[in-house]
Amino acid sequence: MSVEAAALALRVSNLNFQYKKRLTGEIAGIGAAAGLADISFEISAGETLSIVGKSGSGKSTLVKCIVGLVRPDSGDIFIARMDYLHAAGPARKAIRRKVQAVFQDSASSLSPRMTVEEIISEPLAIHRVGNAQSRRERTRSVIDAVGLPYSFLTRRSAELSGGQRQRVAIARALSVEPELLILDEPLTALDLSIKAQLSNLLAELQEQFGVAYLHISHDLFGVAALSDRVAVMHGGRIVENADRTALFTNPVHLETRSLLAEML
Amino acid sequence: MRHLSLLRISVAVIASFYLVAIAAEFFAPYGFAVSDREHTNCPPTRIHVVDESGHWHLRPFVYRYVELPGELESYQEVRSQRYPLEFFIQGAKYKFANILSGRRHLFGVASPASIFIFGTDEYGRDQLSRFIYGARISLIVGTLAAAVALFIGLGVGALCGTFGGWVDVVIMRFTELFMALPWLYLLLAVRAILPLRTSASVSLLILLSVVALVGWAKPARLFRGVILSAQELDFVVAASVIGGGKWYVFRRHVLPQTGSLLLTQAALLIPQFVIAEVTLSFLGLGVGEPIPSWGSILAPLARYESLALHWWLVLPVCAVVPLFFSYHEVTSILQRDDIPPMM
Amino acid sequence: MKYVLHRIAHTVVLLLAVSIFSFLLLTLAPGKPFDEMRTNPQVSSATIAAERMRYGLDRPIVERYFYWGKGLLHGDAGFSFSYGMDVRSFIWAPTRNTLLLTITATILAWLISIPIGIWCATSNGAIDRVTGLATSLLVSLPEPFLALCLLYVALRLKYTPIGGMSSLDFDAFSIGGKVLDLMRHLFLPVLILVFAILPVLVRHIRASMLDVLRAPYIEAARLGGVRRMRVIWRLAAPAAANPIFPFVGFSIGYLLSVSLIVEVIMQWPGLGPLFLESIYSRDLFVVVDVVLLSTLFMVVGNLIADLLLYWNDPRIRLS
């Protein structure tokens, strides 16, 4: 179900969500994770939108909605022009393929029992892409793209460094050729030098594969290097959404200014 | 390292018990229902290496036992003839699993002598043979019941973990109910409502189901806990983000996390369930005569007069100790070191 | 306070659930409830008809449950077919005897295992290892076997009476004599029960003590000059007690089950032999009543244990 002529990797409209107590359905009180209030934004194909905000601003909740871990109370999510919230069964799964994620903690987001090859090809297996042969080839091509040698395919995640693990996570995410890649604080846990390497890698991969990024971060470095646009979240709302240069040179909202002050 | 060798020894002991139980026909010198009317309540046969004239013999031997004239159930050895202990002897015929028939037994002596290593009971039945056949029932029922209980527990735990909500609450209340009753009373009560006198195979089935039914609750709670925490693991969440369905994520990522618990629970539950079977049989509610179980072998001992007169009847008690001791060692080693399942 | 009320409410609900379960046991049993009675020539058909009416066997099942439950609360525990009389008239003696046995054994088991557990944790390696071996061996003996072994030993030694609860000439004794006789008969069954649970308790007490003794504040106390005994008993033991409280509940439940076997073997006139007998004779009201009673003891025992834990550690009040 296409929506508009412009190729939008992601379109979120009027998303609302509040955390409720299990079983009773009561709205969770103060201290619970932040909800979402009327969130709307778009990401064009091949573009990077960075969402920044303090902890408790609702960033993680937003990510959970988009990856399908949490169901919003109201609103729409269009992934690759397809209506995610109203899809069911196999259609839903097909949409899931279009958006993949890389998380902050690579050590725990990669299964310790699987080899690198198994990890990277897992999305291919889940979405039944091609046959064993083509999957192997795809895995090899994508691990090459993230700059790791083929010999790594037989290793396990415990044998890799933080930066190498993140590369594997990125490879895994890219294996099924998603249109949107969610990067949830991907560089935060890494050393400074590795941060730079990986940031460059992400930029290269975006050029190479034309994939859009939704970058969640409070890390100045990542935001400045990667983003086309930046949105600021506060209290479950998007308080500012602007071009990167514009945001840095002329921040409007109080929250934006406060964040920039912190970062700098 | 010491742990590993202790573990190996324990596993070896356990395995040998099972081996003997499975191949009972071969290991037992006599059948379990064979009565020797001339040797009722006979004490354990003495095995000699030195004969009357003081000669040493390489091969141990026994003498034939005859009843003392005039005295009931008092025996003496007839020293005139030696009966050497023979291995792989051709003895009474048997049919293993109704398919294989054979005549070879691990050891025995030529007739008319007999070798009663554990003595005989009031019907003249060799206690060692009954012990070995009894092992078959007790071990198999206990192990199968444990397997069933673990299977049910895992399944129920998975249901609670993956569905949550009211399913979880209701099932947890159920397990609380089962755990609120003293286990033996629950076991006997459930046994009580089922028919008492049935054929051997039905009794076996009843025995199995009752023991498993009583024991599923605790494993279920434990599995639920493991599954719930496994579901929180990042890479498990990642799998569903990638697009894996509930069943895929469970099968591929959550289930392997239960392996460790499965192993420790197995080591813990099997001996408990064997004891449950033994207790039921001891109280006369197990498999009926003449099929022996460890419990039914010891049942006559409840009349302690027989215990006073025939001390050898207590020998099976000592003989099971190595098995339970080994299981106990395995359990404590598993719980201590958390050896990964790839052993 | 809220916690106490919450626990009590939980216990009541649990007992209710158990009563439903027991009632289901009663109704699910094959064979009609009064079949046994019919075969008993001493019971007239008029009595049978009256009993049928009394239990409303012709009414729907839910109604019967409430009827039965109401009767239970008023003390009507059903009718025994093999004894030919109301259960309540003969159930109290066995109940009392079982409670006597189990409670004595529980208290004694804890009194003995606490010092032993602490001693193991604070002694040198040799004592600890030997005790460890002994407890492992004990735990490797299934309960019926343990009972038989001790029985055998007792037979050989001839110190204590074997079986039963009282000597033949019990009534002729003075009060002191009666008490003594009771204690002599109580000795062996209690011993068996204590031996049955001792290994488990000692192990856990020892483990808990070892954990606590490793804590920095214990070492600080020792280095600061506090005497060893004081450190052990005043500092370490109370801290180690916390994780042990749940075992009080467990020990009651466990000993209740083991006491069944012990009572049967030692011919102690408690609920055990009565239960067994009623199973053989399909005397279902007795079966259900015994299950209810034993569960009641276990649940109440757990409640007391929980309240003890609560009293000892205020942090529990959080849940």
XYZ file of all heavy atoms in Angstrom, chain B residues 250-295:
350
model
N 11.774 -18.911 20.132
C 11.777 -19.843 21.251
C 12.665 -21.046 20.949
O 13.520 -21.431 21.746
C 10.347 -20.294 21.553
C 10.275 -21.271 22.674
C 10.389 -20.836 23.980
C 10.145 -22.631 22.436
C 10.359 -21.735 25.033
C 10.104 -23.535 23.474
C 10.217 -23.079 24.782
N 12.444 -21.603 19.766
C 13.158 -22.829 19.422
C 14.653 -22.571 19.287
O 15.485 -23.309 19.812
C 12.597 -23.373 18.103
C 13.244 -24.651 17.631
C 12.606 -25.146 16.337
N 12.535 -24.111 15.314
C 13.501 -23.831 14.459
N 14.633 -24.488 14.508
N 13.329 -22.887 13.551
N 15.007 -21.492 18.593
C 16.397 -21.276 18.243
C 17.215 -20.656 19.354
O 18.396 -20.925 19.490
C 16.419 -20.362 17.005
C 17.766 -20.176 16.378
C 18.085 -21.330 15.444
N 19.238 -21.032 14.615
C 20.499 -21.112 15.031
N 20.744 -21.461 16.268
N 21.486 -20.817 14.208
N 16.589 -19.778 20.144
C 17.380 -19.021 21.111
C 17.018 -19.286 22.571
O 17.890 -19.342 23.412
C 17.236 -17.515 20.839
C 17.848 -17.099 19.538
N 19.184 -16.837 19.397
C 17.293 -16.920 18.320
C 19.439 -16.499 18.142
N 18.302 -16.541 17.460
N 15.743 -19.431 22.866
C 15.349 -19.581 24.274
C 15.573 -21.006 24.748
O 16.137 -21.251 25.816
C 13.872 -19.169 24.464
C 13.425 -19.476 25.879
C 13.694 -17.701 24.160
N 15.140 -21.954 23.943
C 15.230 -23.358 24.336
C 16.650 -23.803 24.695
O 16.841 -24.469 25.714
C 14.664 -24.225 23.214
C 14.073 -25.570 23.620
C 12.994 -25.383 24.665
C 13.500 -26.279 22.408
N 17.657 -23.442 23.896
C 19.005 -23.872 24.273
C 19.415 -23.365 25.653
O 20.244 -23.996 26.315
C 19.894 -23.237 23.189
C 19.001 -23.034 22.030
C 17.648 -22.753 22.601
N 18.822 -22.252 26.081
C 19.167 -21.728 27.395
C 18.669 -22.640 28.507
O 19.128 -22.544 29.640
C 18.547 -20.331 27.592
C 19.078 -19.285 26.631
C 20.547 -18.996 26.856
O 21.396 -19.408 26.090
N 20.835 -18.308 27.933
N 17.714 -23.493 28.201
C 17.173 -24.359 29.244
C 17.979 -25.631 29.421
O 17.728 -26.411 30.332
C 15.716 -24.777 28.934
O 15.707 -25.487 27.703
C 14.822 -23.574 28.833
N 18.977 -25.827 28.535
C 19.733 -27.078 28.568
C 20.367 -27.358 29.914
O 20.289 -28.472 30.437
N 20.985 -26.333 30.466
C 21.679 -26.511 31.736
C 20.705 -26.910 32.838
O 20.958 -27.841 33.620
C 22.407 -25.212 32.072
O 22.916 -25.266 33.354
N 19.577 -26.219 32.888
C 18.589 -26.530 33.915
C 18.029 -27.933 33.714
O 17.831 -28.691 34.663
C 17.441 -25.509 33.875
C 16.373 -25.719 34.939
C 16.945 -25.439 36.306
C 15.170 -24.840 34.677
N 17.814 -28.291 32.468
C 17.281 -29.614 32.161
C 18.179 -30.702 32.734
O 17.725 -31.669 33.345
C 17.163 -29.777 30.642
C 16.286 -30.911 30.148
C 14.836 -30.628 30.495
C 16.415 -31.063 28.649
N 19.465 -30.514 32.545
C 20.421 -31.514 33.018
C 20.408 -31.616 34.535
O 20.329 -32.723 35.097
C 21.814 -31.138 32.523
C 22.783 -32.293 32.331
C 22.266 -33.218 31.264
C 24.145 -31.759 31.967
N 20.476 -30.473 35.206
C 20.509 -30.526 36.665
C 19.198 -31.063 37.219
O 19.182 -31.821 38.178
C 20.769 -29.146 37.300
O 20.111 -28.163 36.516
C 22.228 -28.836 37.381
N 18.095 -30.685 36.609
C 16.815 -31.192 37.080
C 16.702 -32.693 36.867
O 16.159 -33.406 37.707
C 15.665 -30.479 36.349
C 15.355 -29.100 36.891
C 14.876 -29.144 38.322
O 13.829 -29.668 38.642
N 15.676 -28.592 39.223
N 17.214 -33.161 35.738
C 17.173 -34.603 35.482
C 17.936 -35.335 36.578
O 17.442 -36.309 37.160
C 17.745 -34.915 34.113
N 19.152 -34.862 36.861
C 19.966 -35.523 37.884
C 19.290 -35.471 39.242
O 19.451 -36.364 40.073
C 21.343 -34.867 37.951
N 18.519 -34.416 39.468
C 17.851 -34.267 40.753
C 16.585 -35.102 40.832
O 16.305 -35.757 41.831
C 17.491 -32.792 40.934
C 17.233 -32.316 42.346
C 18.487 -32.443 43.162
C 16.756 -30.881 42.321
N 15.806 -35.075 39.758
C 14.485 -35.688 39.811
C 14.484 -37.198 39.654
O 13.679 -37.881 40.275
C 13.588 -35.075 38.735
C 13.127 -33.650 38.972
C 12.171 -33.231 37.871
C 12.453 -33.530 40.313
N 15.378 -37.717 38.827
C 15.329 -39.156 38.579
C 15.426 -39.956 39.879
O 14.582 -40.811 40.147
C 16.401 -39.602 37.562
C 16.065 -39.026 36.187
C 16.476 -41.103 37.488
C 17.075 -39.344 35.121
N 16.430 -39.677 40.727
C 16.457 -40.445 41.976
C 15.222 -40.207 42.828
O 14.715 -41.147 43.462
C 17.719 -39.944 42.682
C 18.216 -38.789 41.927
C 17.615 -38.821 40.580
N 14.694 -38.976 42.838
C 13.499 -38.721 43.631
C 12.325 -39.542 43.129
O 11.546 -40.081 43.923
C 13.123 -37.238 43.555
C 13.983 -36.363 44.432
C 13.569 -34.912 44.320
O 12.526 -34.600 43.758
N 14.387 -34.036 44.853
N 12.205 -39.641 41.809
C 11.087 -40.382 41.265
C 11.271 -41.883 41.450
O 10.309 -42.621 41.617
C 10.898 -40.026 39.783
C 10.212 -38.713 39.580
C 10.464 -37.650 40.427
C 9.320 -38.533 38.549
C 9.847 -36.434 40.249
C 8.687 -37.318 38.360
C 8.943 -36.268 39.209
N 12.520 -42.323 41.409
C 12.774 -43.742 41.682
C 12.331 -44.049 43.113
O 11.680 -45.054 43.381
C 14.263 -44.094 41.485
C 14.563 -45.487 41.982
C 14.649 -43.976 40.033
N 12.673 -43.150 44.029
C 12.269 -43.340 45.420
C 10.756 -43.324 45.542
O 10.170 -44.085 46.320
C 12.897 -42.257 46.324
C 14.398 -42.452 46.374
C 12.311 -42.306 47.713
C 15.114 -41.435 47.208
N 10.110 -42.470 44.757
C 8.647 -42.440 44.800
C 8.081 -43.795 44.371
O 7.153 -44.322 44.995
C 8.111 -41.336 43.887
N 8.651 -44.362 43.325
C 8.178 -45.672 42.874
C 8.431 -46.713 43.952
O 7.562 -47.537 44.259
C 8.908 -46.070 41.589
C 8.344 -47.306 40.884
C 8.738 -48.605 41.547
O 9.831 -48.657 42.137
O 7.933 -49.554 41.497
N 9.635 -46.652 44.527
C 9.989 -47.614 45.565
C 9.013 -47.507 46.731
O 8.541 -48.513 47.265
C 11.438 -47.370 46.051
C 11.717 -48.123 47.318
C 12.422 -47.766 44.969
N 8.693 -46.275 47.117
C 7.766 -46.078 48.219
C 6.400 -46.656 47.892
O 5.785 -47.346 48.710
C 7.636 -44.582 48.546
O 8.929 -44.029 48.691
C 6.851 -44.374 49.806
N 5.920 -46.364 46.701
C 4.613 -46.900 46.304
C 4.609 -48.424 46.328
O 3.681 -49.046 46.851
C 4.253 -46.425 44.898
C 3.515 -45.097 44.793
C 3.217 -44.792 43.341
C 2.218 -45.138 45.572
N 5.659 -49.014 45.770
C 5.719 -50.474 45.748
C 5.839 -51.024 47.150
O 5.251 -52.050 47.486
C 6.909 -50.961 44.939
O 6.897 -50.404 43.672
N 6.617 -50.344 47.964
C 6.804 -50.778 49.338
C 5.466 -50.829 50.060
O 5.204 -51.724 50.858
C 7.756 -49.817 50.043
C 8.064 -50.180 51.452
C 8.982 -51.163 51.736
C 7.434 -49.544 52.497
C 9.277 -51.511 53.038
C 7.721 -49.879 53.808
C 8.645 -50.865 54.076
N 4.616 -49.862 49.765
C 3.313 -49.817 50.421
C 2.290 -50.684 49.714
O 1.122 -50.662 50.051
C 2.826 -48.366 50.480
C 3.711 -47.427 51.296
C 3.254 -46.000 51.128
C 3.661 -47.822 52.757
N 2.743 -51.418 48.725
C 1.840 -52.342 48.064
C 1.006 -51.733 46.962
O 0.046 -52.334 46.498
N 1.368 -50.530 46.527
C 0.559 -49.871 45.514
C 1.282 -49.746 44.186
O 0.949 -48.928 43.359
C 0.165 -48.468 46.021
C -0.714 -48.506 47.258
C -0.780 -47.141 47.907
C -2.111 -48.957 46.879
N 2.293 -50.560 44.005
C 3.047 -50.479 42.763
C 2.622 -51.577 41.802
O 1.453 -51.956 41.744
N 3.579 -52.059 41.063
C 3.299 -53.171 40.164
C 3.078 -54.419 41.005
O 3.737 -54.639 42.002
C 4.497 -53.404 39.221
C 4.190 -54.524 38.278
C 4.832 -52.135 38.477
N 2.122 -55.235 40.584
C 1.786 -56.363 41.448
C 2.755 -57.524 41.350
O 3.653 -57.552 40.522
N 2.543 -58.467 42.245
C 3.307 -59.716 42.194
C 3.053 -60.420 40.889
O 1.977 -60.316 40.331
C 2.874 -60.624 43.346
C 3.395 -60.179 44.687
C 4.892 -60.370 44.828
O 5.418 -61.333 44.250
O 5.510 -59.559 45.494
N 3.921 -61.212 40.350
C 5.207 -61.500 40.965
C 6.329 -60.571 40.502
O 7.465 -60.790 40.864
C 5.489 -62.923 40.472
C 4.879 -62.954 39.116
C 3.700 -62.023 39.147
N 6.013 -59.558 39.699
C 7.077 -58.693 39.199
C 7.667 -57.901 40.355
O 6.954 -57.170 41.036
C 6.536 -57.726 38.144
C 5.959 -58.534 36.979
C 7.642 -56.819 37.649
C 5.345 -57.684 35.921
N 8.944 -58.035 40.568
C 9.530 -57.359 41.714
C 9.936 -55.928 41.401
O 10.218 -55.585 40.257
C 10.776 -58.197 42.008
C 11.179 -58.722 40.663
C 9.930 -58.849 39.831
N 9.906 -55.119 42.406
C 10.459 -53.778 42.322
C 11.262 -53.639 43.601
O 11.043 -54.394 44.538
C 9.324 -52.763 42.251
O 9.637 -51.628 42.994
N 12.142 -52.704 43.659
C 12.936 -52.557 44.876
C 12.047 -52.388 46.114
O 12.358 -52.845 47.201
C 13.882 -51.358 44.754
C 15.091 -51.661 43.941
C 15.575 -52.894 43.620
C 15.968 -50.718 43.360
N 16.710 -52.768 42.867
C 16.978 -51.451 42.688
C 16.020 -49.328 43.336
C 18.011 -50.829 42.010
C 17.054 -48.725 42.654
C 18.039 -49.466 42.000
N 10.956 -51.702 45.916
C 10.049 -51.501 47.046
C 9.409 -52.801 47.492
O 9.339 -53.098 48.681
